[in-house]
Amino acid sequence: MSERLSPGDPAPAFALPDADGNEVSLADYAGRKVVVYFYPAALTPGCTKQACDFTDNLELLAGAGYDVVGVSPDKPAKLAEFREQENLKVTLVGDPSKETLEAYGAFGEKKLYGKTVTGVIRSTVVVGEDGKVERALYNVKATGHVAKLIKDLGI
């Protein structure tokens, strides 16, 4: 089971391929605030709802100084299909090795339909301009999470 992050922890560095195969790293966002959210799989109902919610609120978040990066274990080709099919504007990156998911505490045991399974734990980590964790939210719901996050951030 990977360790969960807490406010004040340094955000683990990552460099992952986006939907076009270009490398996106946390260092690209140095000096900016970034919402890094972790979801189980592209093209699934809950993950689609969440990605669409982030896309719908991207301007609002950007206006408040937040960039958004979605991380899943998917390969770039599947992320590209997800982006095109749902007209997503958020940056989506793939972590097939699950190293970044584990580093952020977003991979491990979870309950799914009453059974304990190992997989991606739907999570959101807000990284401050200084590269430190401001908020770390685990086991979030796909529906309503973005609205709650915006409210919690005071946007």
Side-chain angles (χ1 to χ4, degrees):
M1 182 88 179
S2 44
E3 282 286 312
R4 292 189 168 183
L5 298 174
S6 299
D9 288 347
F14 62 81
L16 299 167
D18 69 7
D20 300 313
N22 300 316
E23 189 176 273
V24 173
S25 72
L26 185 61
D28 296 341
Y29 298 96
R32 293 193 44 86
K33 294 180 274 193
V34 60
V35 174
V36 185
Y37 80 96
F38 300 89
Y39 63 99
L43 301 167
T44 58
C47 299
T48 298
K49 172 80 179 112
Q50 188 177 21
C52 289
D53 279 355
F54 270 117
T55 292
D56 293 346
N57 288 285
L58 207 53
E59 280 186 33
L60 181 68
L61 287 159
Y66 291 91
D67 292 311
V68 179
V69 177
V71 182
S72 74
D74 298 307
K75 291 187 168 50
K78 188 171 180 190
L79 296 174
E81 184 183 344
F82 188 33
R83 180 185 64 197
E84 302 313 316
Q85 191 171 313
E86 301 298 336
N87 199 22
L88 300 173
K89 303 283 184 249
V90 292
T91 300
L92 300 174
V93 297
D95 180 25
S97 72
K98 302 178 184 70
E99 285 177 27
T100 299
L101 287 157
E102 288 179 0
Y104 276 80
F107 189 85
E109 282 190 0
K110 63 179 185 174
K111 291 264 190 244
L112 189 65
Y113 305 114
K115 291 191 172 88
T116 299
V117 297
T118 300
V120 176
I121 299 163
R122 192 180 302 276
S123 312
T124 299
V125 175
V126 179
V127 180
E129 294 155 341
D130 58 359
K132 291 197 182 332
V133 173
E134 288 186 355
R135 292 170 192 267
L137 311 164
Y138 294 94
N139 296 309
V140 301
K141 301 279 181 240
T143 305
H145 171 62
V146 176
K148 183 180 182 324
L149 181 66
I150 287 168
K151 185 175 177 230
D152 289 352
L153 292 173
I155 300 171

